[in-house]
Amino acid sequence: MRKFKLFIISILLLSEFSFTQTPSVIRNIRIPLWAELDAFPGLFEEFSETEDFTTNENYENQEENTVKTDLESGIYDYPINSIKEVAPFLINGMVYGWSFTYTPSDKARGVDEYLEVTELYDQSYILAGIHYASPWIQNNRFNCWCEFNRNEAQIQYYNLWDSIQNPVIHGRGYGDLTLGFEGIRNAAEDSLKEAVRAYYRNLIKNKPKEISGKVLIKNQPTMGIDSGRYVINLDFFLECDRIIEYKSF
């Protein structure tokens, strides 16, 4: 009987933990982003000459005055500006989502693969709410946390995507490391393309002419480098608008 009571208590505690965590994840977006220091000519040489501020130590462990001086000197302006291009694009995809039009490749018809991605809402709706916090330098990268708190309407918008029978699709995409923000955007779009292609491949027997729809990024993106390329993993809620089939071969 005692074991049974302990079991019930454990279940209740776990349920309470899950209940308190889920709204927090939905309300508070907090994603780590980074930019390569070597991607900006002359930056790392100047950076490496600063005293008591090395690439192997966490930003938060530095002397406050030294850190403030380094930021105010403008040494990190380029990676900071790069992150400020990436963050609104990804956060907008998490808060409001993207629309897409996808054309699968068809060698028999001479059709090349094509994907067009458009943000559903202008970034001006979210820019003021994005905050950049706790920057640090590690592995020759400028890192920071990008934070955004959804308002009540945005939370309801997310819950609507989650409550409707929208499938969740997954994709991994790649982008050119030398392109900076464009490389990350390309990787995110490549992730969407792979997710859409993998999902519909199991549903549609013959390749369609075009697939269009909307997606909302479901979870926190994960980003890294693989073989000299950006790699990003994304999960999406998917809403299909239409599928156009070829009328004849």
Short mmCIF file of all heavy atoms in Angstrom, two decimals, residues 20-67:
data_model
loop_
_atom_site.label_atom_id
_atom_site.label_comp_id
_atom_site.label_asym_id
_atom_site.label_seq_id
_atom_site.Cartn_x
_atom_site.Cartn_y
_atom_site.Cartn_z
N THR A 20 3.67 22.59 -15.49
CA THR A 20 4.30 23.88 -15.28
C THR A 20 5.35 24.17 -16.34
O THR A 20 5.62 25.32 -16.64
CB THR A 20 4.96 23.94 -13.89
OG1 THR A 20 5.90 22.86 -13.77
CG2 THR A 20 3.92 23.82 -12.80
N GLN A 21 5.96 23.12 -16.93
CA GLN A 21 7.01 23.34 -17.90
C GLN A 21 6.46 23.70 -19.28
O GLN A 21 6.99 24.57 -19.94
CB GLN A 21 7.89 22.09 -18.02
CG GLN A 21 8.78 21.84 -16.80
CD GLN A 21 9.78 22.96 -16.59
OE1 GLN A 21 10.52 23.31 -17.50
NE2 GLN A 21 9.78 23.53 -15.40
N THR A 22 5.39 23.03 -19.69
CA THR A 22 4.91 23.22 -21.05
C THR A 22 4.52 24.67 -21.33
O THR A 22 4.94 25.23 -22.34
CB THR A 22 3.72 22.28 -21.32
OG1 THR A 22 4.15 20.93 -21.12
CG2 THR A 22 3.21 22.46 -22.73
N PRO A 23 3.69 25.34 -20.48
CA PRO A 23 3.36 26.74 -20.76
C PRO A 23 4.60 27.62 -20.83
O PRO A 23 4.65 28.56 -21.59
CB PRO A 23 2.47 27.13 -19.58
CG PRO A 23 1.89 25.85 -19.08
CD PRO A 23 3.00 24.85 -19.28
N SER A 24 5.63 27.31 -20.01
CA SER A 24 6.85 28.11 -20.01
C SER A 24 7.55 28.02 -21.34
O SER A 24 8.03 29.02 -21.88
CB SER A 24 7.78 27.63 -18.88
OG SER A 24 9.01 28.33 -18.92
N VAL A 25 7.64 26.82 -21.92
CA VAL A 25 8.29 26.64 -23.21
C VAL A 25 7.53 27.40 -24.30
O VAL A 25 8.12 28.00 -25.18
CB VAL A 25 8.37 25.14 -23.56
CG1 VAL A 25 8.84 24.95 -25.00
CG2 VAL A 25 9.29 24.42 -22.60
N ILE A 26 6.21 27.36 -24.23
CA ILE A 26 5.41 28.04 -25.23
C ILE A 26 5.51 29.56 -25.07
O ILE A 26 5.59 30.29 -26.06
CB ILE A 26 3.94 27.60 -25.13
CG1 ILE A 26 3.81 26.11 -25.47
CG2 ILE A 26 3.05 28.43 -26.04
CD1 ILE A 26 2.44 25.54 -25.22
N ARG A 27 5.50 30.03 -23.86
CA ARG A 27 5.52 31.48 -23.62
C ARG A 27 6.89 32.08 -23.86
O ARG A 27 7.01 33.16 -24.45
CB ARG A 27 5.06 31.77 -22.18
CG ARG A 27 5.02 33.25 -21.86
CD ARG A 27 4.52 33.47 -20.43
NE ARG A 27 3.14 33.05 -20.28
CZ ARG A 27 2.10 33.83 -20.56
NH1 ARG A 27 2.28 35.06 -21.03
NH2 ARG A 27 0.87 33.38 -20.38
N ASN A 28 7.94 31.42 -23.40
CA ASN A 28 9.28 32.00 -23.42
C ASN A 28 10.16 31.29 -24.44
O ASN A 28 10.58 30.15 -24.22
CB ASN A 28 9.91 31.91 -22.03
CG ASN A 28 9.03 32.50 -20.94
OD1 ASN A 28 8.64 31.82 -19.99
ND2 ASN A 28 8.72 33.77 -21.07
N ILE A 29 10.44 31.96 -25.54
CA ILE A 29 11.38 31.45 -26.53
C ILE A 29 12.79 31.87 -26.11
O ILE A 29 13.02 33.05 -25.81
CB ILE A 29 11.06 32.01 -27.92
CG1 ILE A 29 9.70 31.49 -28.41
CG2 ILE A 29 12.16 31.68 -28.93
CD1 ILE A 29 9.23 32.12 -29.71
N ARG A 30 13.69 30.92 -26.09
CA ARG A 30 15.09 31.23 -25.72
C ARG A 30 16.00 30.30 -26.52
O ARG A 30 16.12 29.13 -26.21
CB ARG A 30 15.30 31.03 -24.22
CG ARG A 30 16.62 31.61 -23.70
CD ARG A 30 16.63 31.61 -22.18
NE ARG A 30 17.77 32.35 -21.65
CZ ARG A 30 18.88 31.79 -21.19
NH1 ARG A 30 19.00 30.47 -21.19
NH2 ARG A 30 19.88 32.53 -20.74
N ILE A 31 16.61 30.84 -27.56
CA ILE A 31 17.44 30.01 -28.42
C ILE A 31 18.88 30.55 -28.44
O ILE A 31 19.10 31.76 -28.47
CB ILE A 31 16.88 29.95 -29.86
CG1 ILE A 31 16.77 31.34 -30.47
CG2 ILE A 31 15.53 29.28 -29.88
CD1 ILE A 31 16.33 31.33 -31.92
N PRO A 32 19.86 29.65 -28.41
CA PRO A 32 21.26 30.09 -28.51
C PRO A 32 21.66 30.23 -29.98
O PRO A 32 21.41 29.35 -30.80
CB PRO A 32 22.02 28.93 -27.85
CG PRO A 32 21.17 27.73 -28.11
CD PRO A 32 19.73 28.21 -28.16
N LEU A 33 22.24 31.36 -30.32
CA LEU A 33 22.75 31.58 -31.67
C LEU A 33 24.20 32.03 -31.61
O LEU A 33 24.66 32.55 -30.59
CB LEU A 33 21.91 32.63 -32.41
CG LEU A 33 20.50 32.22 -32.82
CD1 LEU A 33 19.80 33.38 -33.51
CD2 LEU A 33 20.51 31.00 -33.72
N TRP A 34 24.92 31.85 -32.70
CA TRP A 34 26.33 32.20 -32.72
C TRP A 34 26.75 32.61 -34.12
O TRP A 34 26.06 32.33 -35.11
CB TRP A 34 27.18 31.04 -32.24
CG TRP A 34 26.84 29.72 -32.87
CD1 TRP A 34 26.02 28.76 -32.37
CD2 TRP A 34 27.26 29.22 -34.14
NE1 TRP A 34 25.91 27.70 -33.23
CE2 TRP A 34 26.67 27.95 -34.34
CE3 TRP A 34 28.10 29.73 -35.15
CZ2 TRP A 34 26.88 27.19 -35.48
CZ3 TRP A 34 28.32 28.96 -36.29
CH2 TRP A 34 27.72 27.71 -36.44
N ALA A 35 27.87 33.30 -34.19
CA ALA A 35 28.47 33.67 -35.47
C ALA A 35 29.96 33.42 -35.38
O ALA A 35 30.60 33.71 -34.36
CB ALA A 35 28.20 35.14 -35.80
N GLU A 36 30.52 32.87 -36.46
CA GLU A 36 31.95 32.58 -36.51
C GLU A 36 32.75 33.88 -36.54
O GLU A 36 32.45 34.78 -37.33
CB GLU A 36 32.27 31.75 -37.76
CG GLU A 36 31.73 30.34 -37.73
CD GLU A 36 32.59 29.41 -36.92
OE1 GLU A 36 33.79 29.71 -36.72
OE2 GLU A 36 32.08 28.37 -36.48
N LEU A 37 33.78 33.96 -35.69
CA LEU A 37 34.63 35.14 -35.70
C LEU A 37 35.51 35.18 -36.94
O LEU A 37 35.77 36.23 -37.51
CB LEU A 37 35.51 35.18 -34.44
CG LEU A 37 34.76 35.39 -33.12
CD1 LEU A 37 35.73 35.33 -31.96
CD2 LEU A 37 34.03 36.70 -33.11
N ASP A 38 35.98 34.02 -37.40
CA ASP A 38 36.86 33.97 -38.56
C ASP A 38 36.15 34.37 -39.85
O ASP A 38 36.80 34.58 -40.87
CB ASP A 38 37.42 32.55 -38.74
CG ASP A 38 38.63 32.32 -37.83
OD1 ASP A 38 39.13 33.31 -37.28
OD2 ASP A 38 39.04 31.16 -37.68
N ALA A 39 34.84 34.43 -39.81
CA ALA A 39 34.09 34.77 -41.02
C ALA A 39 34.23 36.25 -41.37
O ALA A 39 33.85 36.67 -42.46
CB ALA A 39 32.61 34.44 -40.84
N PHE A 40 34.81 37.04 -40.46
CA PHE A 40 34.91 38.47 -40.66
C PHE A 40 36.37 38.89 -40.67
O PHE A 40 37.03 38.85 -39.63
CB PHE A 40 34.14 39.20 -39.55
CG PHE A 40 32.75 38.64 -39.39
CD1 PHE A 40 32.48 37.76 -38.35
CD2 PHE A 40 31.75 38.96 -40.27
CE1 PHE A 40 31.21 37.22 -38.21
CE2 PHE A 40 30.49 38.42 -40.13
CZ PHE A 40 30.22 37.56 -39.10
N PRO A 41 36.94 39.24 -41.83
CA PRO A 41 38.36 39.53 -41.97
C PRO A 41 38.87 40.54 -40.97
O PRO A 41 38.28 41.59 -40.76
CB PRO A 41 38.46 40.08 -43.41
CG PRO A 41 37.26 39.53 -44.10
CD PRO A 41 36.19 39.44 -43.06
N GLY A 42 40.00 40.22 -40.34
CA GLY A 42 40.64 41.13 -39.42
C GLY A 42 40.05 41.15 -38.04
O GLY A 42 40.64 41.71 -37.11
N LEU A 43 38.89 40.54 -37.87
CA LEU A 43 38.22 40.59 -36.57
C LEU A 43 38.95 39.77 -35.53
O LEU A 43 39.22 40.24 -34.43
CB LEU A 43 36.78 40.09 -36.71
CG LEU A 43 35.97 40.02 -35.40
CD1 LEU A 43 35.79 41.41 -34.83
CD2 LEU A 43 34.62 39.38 -35.65
N PHE A 44 39.29 38.52 -35.87
CA PHE A 44 39.88 37.64 -34.88
C PHE A 44 41.26 38.12 -34.46
O PHE A 44 41.64 37.99 -33.30
CB PHE A 44 39.97 36.21 -35.40
CG PHE A 44 40.44 35.24 -34.35
CD1 PHE A 44 39.62 34.93 -33.28
CD2 PHE A 44 41.70 34.67 -34.40
CE1 PHE A 44 40.04 34.05 -32.30
CE2 PHE A 44 42.12 33.80 -33.42
CZ PHE A 44 41.29 33.48 -32.37
N GLU A 45 42.04 38.71 -35.41
CA GLU A 45 43.35 39.20 -35.04
C GLU A 45 43.25 40.30 -33.98
O GLU A 45 43.99 40.32 -33.01
CB GLU A 45 44.07 39.75 -36.28
CG GLU A 45 44.53 38.69 -37.27
CD GLU A 45 43.42 38.15 -38.12
OE1 GLU A 45 42.26 38.64 -37.98
OE2 GLU A 45 43.68 37.22 -38.91
N GLU A 46 42.30 41.21 -34.18
CA GLU A 46 42.10 42.28 -33.21
C GLU A 46 41.56 41.72 -31.91
O GLU A 46 41.99 42.11 -30.82
CB GLU A 46 41.13 43.32 -33.78
CG GLU A 46 40.93 44.53 -32.86
CD GLU A 46 39.98 45.54 -33.49
OE1 GLU A 46 39.48 45.30 -34.60
OE2 GLU A 46 39.75 46.57 -32.83
N PHE A 47 40.66 40.78 -32.01
CA PHE A 47 40.06 40.17 -30.82
C PHE A 47 41.11 39.46 -29.98
O PHE A 47 41.14 39.55 -28.77
CB PHE A 47 38.98 39.18 -31.26
CG PHE A 47 38.65 38.13 -30.23
CD1 PHE A 47 37.89 38.44 -29.12
CD2 PHE A 47 39.14 36.84 -30.38
CE1 PHE A 47 37.60 37.47 -28.19
CE2 PHE A 47 38.84 35.88 -29.44
CZ PHE A 47 38.09 36.19 -28.35
N SER A 48 42.05 38.74 -30.64
CA SER A 48 43.00 37.92 -29.91
C SER A 48 44.01 38.75 -29.14
O SER A 48 44.68 38.24 -28.26
CB SER A 48 43.74 37.00 -30.89
OG SER A 48 44.47 37.76 -31.83
N GLU A 49 44.11 40.05 -29.46
CA GLU A 49 45.06 40.90 -28.77
C GLU A 49 44.48 41.53 -27.50
O GLU A 49 45.20 42.14 -26.73
CB GLU A 49 45.53 42.01 -29.72
CG GLU A 49 46.32 41.46 -30.91
CD GLU A 49 46.66 42.55 -31.91
OE1 GLU A 49 46.25 43.71 -31.64
OE2 GLU A 49 47.31 42.25 -32.92
N THR A 50 43.18 41.39 -27.29
CA THR A 50 42.59 41.97 -26.08
C THR A 50 43.03 41.18 -24.86
O THR A 50 43.18 39.97 -24.90
CB THR A 50 41.05 41.94 -26.17
OG1 THR A 50 40.62 40.59 -26.30
CG2 THR A 50 40.56 42.75 -27.35
N GLU A 51 43.24 41.85 -23.77
CA GLU A 51 43.77 41.23 -22.56
C GLU A 51 42.66 40.57 -21.75
O GLU A 51 41.55 41.07 -21.67
CB GLU A 51 44.45 42.30 -21.70
CG GLU A 51 45.66 42.95 -22.40
CD GLU A 51 46.30 44.00 -21.52
OE1 GLU A 51 45.76 44.24 -20.41
OE2 GLU A 51 47.31 44.58 -21.93
N ASP A 52 42.97 39.42 -21.19
CA ASP A 52 42.08 38.72 -20.26
C ASP A 52 40.73 38.38 -20.86
O ASP A 52 39.72 38.37 -20.17
CB ASP A 52 41.86 39.57 -18.99
CG ASP A 52 43.17 39.89 -18.30
OD1 ASP A 52 44.03 38.98 -18.22
OD2 ASP A 52 43.33 41.03 -17.87
N PHE A 53 40.73 38.09 -22.15
CA PHE A 53 39.47 37.76 -22.79
C PHE A 53 39.77 36.78 -23.90
O PHE A 53 40.06 37.15 -25.02
CB PHE A 53 38.82 39.02 -23.37
CG PHE A 53 37.34 38.90 -23.56
CD1 PHE A 53 36.49 38.86 -22.47
CD2 PHE A 53 36.79 38.84 -24.82
CE1 PHE A 53 35.13 38.76 -22.64
CE2 PHE A 53 35.43 38.74 -25.01
CZ PHE A 53 34.60 38.70 -23.91
N THR A 54 39.70 35.47 -23.61
CA THR A 54 40.12 34.46 -24.56
C THR A 54 38.94 33.68 -25.09
O THR A 54 37.85 33.69 -24.51
CB THR A 54 41.10 33.47 -23.90
OG1 THR A 54 40.40 32.72 -22.91
CG2 THR A 54 42.24 34.20 -23.23
N THR A 55 39.18 32.95 -26.20
CA THR A 55 38.09 32.19 -26.82
C THR A 55 37.73 30.95 -26.03
O THR A 55 36.72 30.33 -26.29
CB THR A 55 38.52 31.75 -28.24
OG1 THR A 55 39.72 30.99 -28.14
CG2 THR A 55 38.74 32.95 -29.12
N ASN A 56 38.51 30.58 -25.05
CA ASN A 56 38.27 29.32 -24.33
C ASN A 56 37.52 29.52 -23.02
O ASN A 56 37.30 28.58 -22.29
CB ASN A 56 39.60 28.62 -24.04
CG ASN A 56 40.30 28.20 -25.32
OD1 ASN A 56 39.65 27.79 -26.26
ND2 ASN A 56 41.61 28.32 -25.34
N GLU A 57 37.18 30.75 -22.72
CA GLU A 57 36.51 31.02 -21.45
C GLU A 57 35.15 31.63 -21.71
O GLU A 57 34.94 32.37 -22.67
CB GLU A 57 37.35 31.98 -20.60
CG GLU A 57 38.69 31.37 -20.18
CD GLU A 57 39.51 32.35 -19.35
OE1 GLU A 57 38.96 33.40 -18.97
OE2 GLU A 57 40.66 32.06 -19.10
N ASN A 58 34.23 31.32 -20.82
CA ASN A 58 32.87 31.81 -20.96
C ASN A 58 32.82 33.30 -20.69
O ASN A 58 33.47 33.81 -19.79
CB ASN A 58 31.95 31.07 -19.97
CG ASN A 58 30.50 31.39 -20.24
OD1 ASN A 58 30.04 32.48 -19.97
ND2 ASN A 58 29.80 30.40 -20.77
N TYR A 59 32.02 34.00 -21.50
CA TYR A 59 31.85 35.45 -21.36
C TYR A 59 31.50 35.84 -19.94
O TYR A 59 32.00 36.81 -19.40
CB TYR A 59 30.76 35.89 -22.33
CG TYR A 59 30.44 37.37 -22.33
CD1 TYR A 59 30.96 38.20 -23.30
CD2 TYR A 59 29.59 37.91 -21.37
CE1 TYR A 59 30.65 39.55 -23.31
CE2 TYR A 59 29.28 39.25 -21.38
CZ TYR A 59 29.81 40.07 -22.37
OH TYR A 59 29.49 41.39 -22.38
N GLU A 60 30.64 35.06 -19.30
CA GLU A 60 30.14 35.43 -17.99
C GLU A 60 31.22 35.33 -16.92
O GLU A 60 31.06 35.85 -15.82
CB GLU A 60 28.97 34.52 -17.63
CG GLU A 60 27.78 34.73 -18.56
CD GLU A 60 26.67 33.76 -18.26
OE1 GLU A 60 26.90 32.80 -17.52
OE2 GLU A 60 25.57 33.97 -18.77
N ASN A 61 32.35 34.69 -17.21
CA ASN A 61 33.42 34.56 -16.23
C ASN A 61 34.45 35.68 -16.34
O ASN A 61 35.42 35.72 -15.60
CB ASN A 61 34.14 33.22 -16.42
CG ASN A 61 33.23 32.05 -16.10
OD1 ASN A 61 32.34 32.17 -15.28
ND2 ASN A 61 33.45 30.93 -16.77
N GLN A 62 34.28 36.61 -17.26
CA GLN A 62 35.23 37.69 -17.45
C GLN A 62 34.95 38.83 -16.47
O GLN A 62 33.85 38.99 -15.94
CB GLN A 62 35.16 38.21 -18.89
CG GLN A 62 35.25 37.12 -19.94
CD GLN A 62 36.50 36.30 -19.78
OE1 GLN A 62 37.56 36.83 -19.50
NE2 GLN A 62 36.37 35.00 -19.93
N GLU A 63 35.99 39.67 -16.28
CA GLU A 63 35.81 40.86 -15.46
C GLU A 63 34.79 41.77 -16.14
O GLU A 63 34.82 41.98 -17.36
CB GLU A 63 37.14 41.60 -15.30
CG GLU A 63 38.18 40.82 -14.50
CD GLU A 63 37.78 40.69 -13.04
OE1 GLU A 63 37.02 41.57 -12.56
OE2 GLU A 63 38.22 39.74 -12.39
N GLU A 64 33.88 42.32 -15.36
CA GLU A 64 32.78 43.11 -15.92
C GLU A 64 33.28 44.28 -16.74
O GLU A 64 32.78 44.54 -17.84
CB GLU A 64 31.87 43.60 -14.79
CG GLU A 64 30.66 44.39 -15.29
CD GLU A 64 29.77 44.82 -14.15
OE1 GLU A 64 29.99 44.35 -13.02
OE2 GLU A 64 28.86 45.63 -14.40
N ASN A 65 34.27 44.98 -16.25
CA ASN A 65 34.77 46.15 -16.97
C ASN A 65 35.42 45.77 -18.30
O ASN A 65 35.28 46.48 -19.30
CB ASN A 65 35.77 46.92 -16.11
CG ASN A 65 35.10 47.59 -14.92
OD1 ASN A 65 33.90 47.86 -14.96
ND2 ASN A 65 35.86 47.85 -13.87
N THR A 66 36.15 44.65 -18.30
CA THR A 66 36.81 44.21 -19.53
C THR A 66 35.78 43.84 -20.58
O THR A 66 35.90 44.19 -21.75
CB THR A 66 37.71 42.99 -19.26
OG1 THR A 66 38.67 43.34 -18.26
CG2 THR A 66 38.42 42.54 -20.52
N VAL A 67 34.74 43.12 -20.17
CA VAL A 67 33.68 42.71 -21.08
C VAL A 67 32.98 43.94 -21.67
O VAL A 67 32.75 44.01 -22.89
CB VAL A 67 32.66 41.83 -20.33
CG1 VAL A 67 31.43 41.61 -21.19
CG2 VAL A 67 33.30 40.51 -19.97
#
